[in-house]
Amino acid sequence: MRPRWMFLVWSLIHLLLLCFVAYQWTNDGHEPVVNGVGWHFVVAALLNSLWFSLLESHHPILGFIVSILLLVAVSVIFYNLAENFAPETWAQRFLIHAPFSVWHGFTIFMAVWNAFVAFTTVRKDQFGIILHPNIFHVILVYAALLFLTLSAIGYVQYKHERCDVISAWVIAFCLWAVFDHQRDPLIHWPALAAALVSTIWPIEPFVYQLVKYRTINPEERERILNTTTTN
């Protein structure tokens, strides 16, 4: 079981995708949606539905395989938008890029979670009480936490200049859910550390830009302000 509030991310994804579908009919949205997203969106949506169906019907191994395919489909959209269709307006940033940033980050986390469901078991005693995880499970959890934390950092570093930190904070949100749910100290406190790093690290690009802005000469600063105002 996971904290139910973690799945509020799905509500956010669906809301953003609904706005995305509507925005494609506008002049600003048509080009990046048709050429930047295209039919990959249909594939991702179908895989997402299949994934849910497999999990609900208790086929976690097949679900894990589909989750990897879903991650690939969303990744194609995510990286194509990042490389070829950088947002030119705030509307494009929030209505085209943001839906897939949230979806991508959450799919990474859920694929990791699905792997644990598919390939590990919860140890219980004869009375059904959950036992402490063995050393093998602890190592797997630490590897997963490290992978998720590095993924959050990778989002920030990959899009450093664009300051796109949405995916990183989605992973951070999920790591806070792990911290909230897992009470075993061997998992609870490492999850807290991972959540803190994933939450704080995305602030780094903003600090970098602020420091860079404050250290440039007044003439250059005025030029940047004028350019920003013009845009």
XYZ file of all heavy atoms in Angstrom, residues 53-96:
354
model
N -4.764 -1.685 -16.355
C -5.550 -2.912 -16.438
C -4.770 -4.111 -15.909
O -5.311 -4.948 -15.172
C -5.973 -3.149 -17.889
O -6.685 -4.356 -18.020
N -3.498 -4.199 -16.257
C -2.674 -5.319 -15.800
C -2.458 -5.278 -14.287
O -2.467 -6.314 -13.618
C -1.327 -5.297 -16.523
C -1.376 -5.665 -18.015
C -0.034 -5.386 -18.671
C -1.766 -7.132 -18.196
N -2.269 -4.092 -13.747
C -2.083 -3.980 -12.302
C -3.363 -4.334 -11.556
O -3.326 -5.015 -10.525
C -1.636 -2.560 -11.941
C -0.231 -2.153 -12.386
C 0.062 -0.722 -11.973
C 0.824 -3.091 -11.807
N -4.495 -3.877 -12.077
C -5.772 -4.175 -11.434
C -6.100 -5.662 -11.493
O -6.763 -6.199 -10.605
C -6.894 -3.370 -12.098
C -6.864 -1.888 -11.781
C -7.121 -1.605 -10.316
O -7.909 -2.350 -9.696
O -6.525 -0.653 -9.778
N -5.639 -6.341 -12.539
C -5.902 -7.774 -12.687
C -4.784 -8.629 -12.093
O -4.717 -9.833 -12.347
C -6.104 -8.122 -14.166
O -4.975 -7.746 -14.938
N -3.893 -7.989 -11.327
C -2.833 -8.684 -10.584
C -1.858 -9.425 -11.509
O -1.568 -10.605 -11.322
C -3.438 -9.656 -9.569
C -4.391 -9.007 -8.619
N -3.990 -8.142 -7.625
C -5.753 -9.073 -8.527
C -5.039 -7.712 -6.948
N -6.125 -8.256 -7.480
N -1.352 -8.690 -12.496
C -0.294 -9.199 -13.369
C 0.893 -8.233 -13.287
O 1.181 -7.502 -14.244
C -0.784 -9.328 -14.818
C -1.838 -10.366 -15.003
N -3.191 -10.079 -14.933
C -1.746 -11.703 -15.243
C -3.886 -11.178 -15.135
N -3.037 -12.183 -15.314
N 1.571 -8.208 -12.140
C 2.609 -7.188 -11.933
C 3.805 -7.311 -12.867
O 4.400 -6.296 -13.235
C 3.022 -7.399 -10.472
C 2.649 -8.812 -10.171
C 1.410 -9.084 -10.971
N 4.176 -8.534 -13.253
C 5.338 -8.683 -14.136
C 5.028 -8.119 -15.522
O 5.821 -7.356 -16.093
C 5.770 -10.158 -14.222
C 6.252 -10.641 -12.849
C 6.873 -10.329 -15.265
C 6.678 -12.097 -12.819
N 3.861 -8.485 -16.057
C 3.455 -7.902 -17.332
C 3.282 -6.389 -17.194
O 3.617 -5.627 -18.110
C 2.154 -8.545 -17.818
C 2.239 -9.999 -18.284
C 0.852 -10.523 -18.646
C 3.181 -10.118 -19.479
N 2.758 -5.974 -16.048
C 2.599 -4.547 -15.804
C 3.930 -3.825 -15.811
O 4.042 -2.709 -16.340
N 4.955 -4.449 -15.238
C 6.279 -3.833 -15.231
C 6.819 -3.684 -16.654
O 7.381 -2.641 -17.008
C 7.242 -4.673 -14.396
C 8.665 -4.202 -14.459
C 9.044 -3.012 -13.858
C 9.618 -4.940 -15.144
C 10.359 -2.563 -13.924
C 10.930 -4.507 -15.215
C 11.304 -3.312 -14.603
N 6.629 -4.709 -17.471
C 7.089 -4.637 -18.864
C 6.393 -3.496 -19.597
O 7.026 -2.705 -20.312
C 6.836 -5.980 -19.578
C 7.688 -7.081 -18.943
C 7.142 -5.866 -21.076
C 7.374 -8.472 -19.456
N 5.084 -3.383 -19.390
C 4.332 -2.311 -20.048
C 4.750 -0.948 -19.502
O 4.802 0.042 -20.244
C 2.818 -2.535 -19.872
C 2.023 -1.340 -20.389
C 2.387 -3.795 -20.605
N 5.075 -0.880 -18.210
C 5.506 0.398 -17.638
C 6.801 0.883 -18.279
O 6.995 2.090 -18.471
C 5.677 0.277 -16.121
O 6.826 -0.482 -15.782
N 7.687 -0.050 -18.629
C 8.926 0.325 -19.316
C 8.613 0.842 -20.720
O 9.179 1.848 -21.176
C 9.896 -0.868 -19.390
C 10.296 -1.312 -17.975
C 11.137 -0.503 -20.195
C 10.964 -0.237 -17.148
N 7.695 0.163 -21.408
C 7.289 0.629 -22.739
C 6.622 1.997 -22.651
O 6.845 2.864 -23.511
C 6.336 -0.388 -23.375
C 6.920 -1.775 -23.670
C 5.830 -2.700 -24.213
C 8.073 -1.671 -24.663
N 5.811 2.191 -21.616
C 5.176 3.494 -21.409
C 6.226 4.567 -21.163
O 6.136 5.680 -21.708
C 4.209 3.415 -20.225
C 3.615 4.741 -19.743
C 2.802 5.402 -20.846
C 2.761 4.522 -18.499
N 7.221 4.238 -20.359
C 8.281 5.201 -20.076
C 9.019 5.591 -21.356
O 9.361 6.763 -21.554
C 9.259 4.611 -19.056
C 10.401 5.518 -18.598
C 9.855 6.804 -17.989
C 11.284 4.784 -17.597
N 9.242 4.621 -22.224
C 9.895 4.913 -23.506
C 9.025 5.847 -24.345
O 9.514 6.832 -24.921
C 10.180 3.612 -24.277
C 10.666 3.919 -25.696
C 11.220 2.773 -23.539
N 7.728 5.559 -24.399
C 6.817 6.375 -25.207
C 6.756 7.814 -24.701
O 6.817 8.773 -25.485
C 5.423 5.751 -25.208
N 6.643 7.975 -23.387
C 6.590 9.324 -22.823
C 7.944 10.017 -22.967
O 8.012 11.233 -23.190
C 6.151 9.277 -21.346
C 6.126 10.682 -20.746
C 4.776 8.644 -21.216
N 9.033 9.244 -22.880
C 10.372 9.824 -23.020
C 10.586 10.396 -24.414
O 11.217 11.450 -24.575
C 11.442 8.768 -22.728
O 11.394 8.345 -21.385
N 10.079 9.708 -25.425
C 10.210 10.207 -26.795
C 9.564 11.587 -26.910
O 10.135 12.521 -27.492
C 9.572 9.221 -27.795
C 9.487 9.844 -29.187
C 10.376 7.928 -27.847
N 8.375 11.720 -26.343
C 7.684 13.017 -26.372
C 8.456 14.047 -25.558
O 8.688 15.180 -26.005
C 6.252 12.869 -25.818
C 5.453 11.874 -26.651
C 5.552 14.223 -25.782
C 4.099 11.523 -26.061
N 8.852 13.650 -24.367
C 9.537 14.552 -23.436
C 10.802 15.142 -24.061
O 11.009 16.361 -24.048
C 9.867 13.775 -22.160
C 10.589 14.564 -21.111
C 9.893 15.381 -20.232
C 11.962 14.478 -20.986
C 10.561 16.104 -19.250
C 12.642 15.188 -20.011
C 11.935 16.007 -19.140
N 11.640 14.288 -24.625
C 12.914 14.758 -25.168
C 12.737 15.466 -26.511
O 13.492 16.393 -26.823
C 13.887 13.586 -25.292
C 14.362 13.087 -23.955
C 13.976 11.842 -23.477
C 15.170 13.878 -23.141
C 14.387 11.396 -22.228
C 15.584 13.440 -21.893
C 15.194 12.197 -21.446
O 15.601 11.757 -20.207
N 11.751 15.063 -27.299
C 11.506 15.758 -28.561
C 11.042 17.186 -28.309
O 11.483 18.128 -28.979
C 10.462 15.007 -29.387
C 10.365 15.542 -30.808
O 11.358 15.958 -31.398
N 9.165 15.536 -31.358
N 10.169 17.359 -27.333
C 9.731 18.707 -26.979
C 10.890 19.537 -26.439
O 11.042 20.715 -26.779
C 8.609 18.638 -25.941
C 7.237 18.168 -26.423
C 6.283 18.019 -25.243
C 6.654 19.137 -27.444
N 11.711 18.919 -25.592
C 12.818 19.654 -24.979
C 13.848 20.097 -26.011
O 14.369 21.216 -25.943
C 13.484 18.789 -23.908
N 14.134 19.237 -26.976
C 15.200 19.520 -27.931
C 14.738 20.354 -29.122
O 15.492 21.180 -29.632
C 15.798 18.200 -28.439
C 16.555 17.415 -27.385
C 17.766 18.168 -26.864
O 18.400 18.903 -27.651
O 18.071 18.040 -25.664
N 13.513 20.148 -29.565
C 13.088 20.752 -30.831
C 11.962 21.771 -30.713
O 11.714 22.515 -31.669
C 12.641 19.646 -31.801
C 13.745 18.638 -32.061
O 14.888 19.001 -32.304
N 13.407 17.353 -31.998
N 11.287 21.793 -29.579
C 10.151 22.704 -29.438
C 10.183 23.370 -28.066
O 9.279 23.188 -27.243
C 8.827 21.952 -29.641
C 8.658 21.385 -31.018
C 9.078 20.093 -31.307
C 8.107 22.150 -32.032
C 8.939 19.565 -32.577
C 7.963 21.633 -33.306
C 8.380 20.342 -33.585
N 11.239 24.116 -27.819
C 11.355 24.838 -26.550
C 10.178 25.800 -26.404
O 9.751 26.417 -27.387
C 12.669 25.608 -26.499
N 9.633 25.926 -25.203
C 8.461 26.795 -25.025
C 8.790 28.254 -25.305
O 9.791 28.783 -24.826
C 8.083 26.576 -23.554
C 9.337 26.094 -22.899
C 10.058 25.297 -23.940
N 7.941 28.888 -26.079
C 8.116 30.301 -26.406
C 7.208 31.192 -25.572
O 7.429 32.400 -25.491
C 7.829 30.521 -27.895
C 8.776 29.751 -28.812
C 8.421 29.923 -30.273
O 7.367 30.550 -30.549
O 9.183 29.450 -31.137
N 6.188 30.605 -24.981
C 5.260 31.355 -24.141
C 4.989 30.554 -22.875
O 5.281 29.353 -22.794
C 3.924 31.605 -24.870
O 3.283 30.342 -25.124
C 4.155 32.332 -26.195
N 4.414 31.223 -21.884
C 4.050 30.523 -20.656
C 2.957 29.500 -20.919
O 2.906 28.452 -20.266
C 3.602 31.525 -19.595
C 4.741 32.244 -18.962
C 5.144 33.527 -19.184
C 5.666 31.704 -18.004
N 6.256 33.828 -18.437
C 6.594 32.735 -17.699
C 5.799 30.470 -17.384
C 7.637 32.549 -16.790
C 6.840 30.285 -16.477
C 7.737 31.312 -16.190
N 2.094 29.783 -21.875
C 1.038 28.823 -22.207
C 1.641 27.531 -22.743
O 1.221 26.431 -22.368
C 0.080 29.433 -23.233
N 2.632 27.639 -23.614
C 3.289 26.440 -24.131
C 4.030 25.699 -23.023
O 4.058 24.467 -23.001
C 4.259 26.819 -25.250
C 3.590 27.263 -26.534
C 4.588 27.527 -27.637
O 5.801 27.433 -27.440
N 4.091 27.870 -28.821
N 4.604 26.443 -22.110
C 5.338 25.808 -21.012
C 4.415 24.973 -20.128
O 4.750 23.849 -19.745
C 6.048 26.878 -20.173
C 6.928 26.313 -19.059
C 7.571 27.442 -18.271
N 8.409 28.272 -19.109
C 9.682 28.008 -19.401
N 10.241 26.906 -18.927
N 10.378 28.822 -20.159
N 3.243 25.531 -19.802
C 2.358 24.859 -18.854
C 1.343 23.927 -19.516
O 0.873 22.984 -18.872
C 1.617 25.893 -17.999
C 2.477 26.523 -16.948
C 2.932 27.818 -17.091
C 2.858 25.810 -15.822
C 3.743 28.399 -16.128
C 3.669 26.375 -14.852
C 4.115 27.673 -15.003
N 1.004 24.178 -20.773
C -0.036 23.382 -21.415
C 0.504 22.337 -22.383
O -0.243 21.452 -22.802
C -1.019 24.306 -22.149
C -1.741 25.325 -21.258
C -2.678 26.183 -22.086
C -2.502 24.631 -20.135
N 1.782 22.428 -22.747
C 2.377 21.419 -23.628
C 3.512 20.683 -22.924
O 3.533 19.453 -22.872
C 2.882 22.056 -24.939
C 1.711 22.638 -25.729
C 3.623 21.016 -25.784
C 2.110 23.314 -27.022
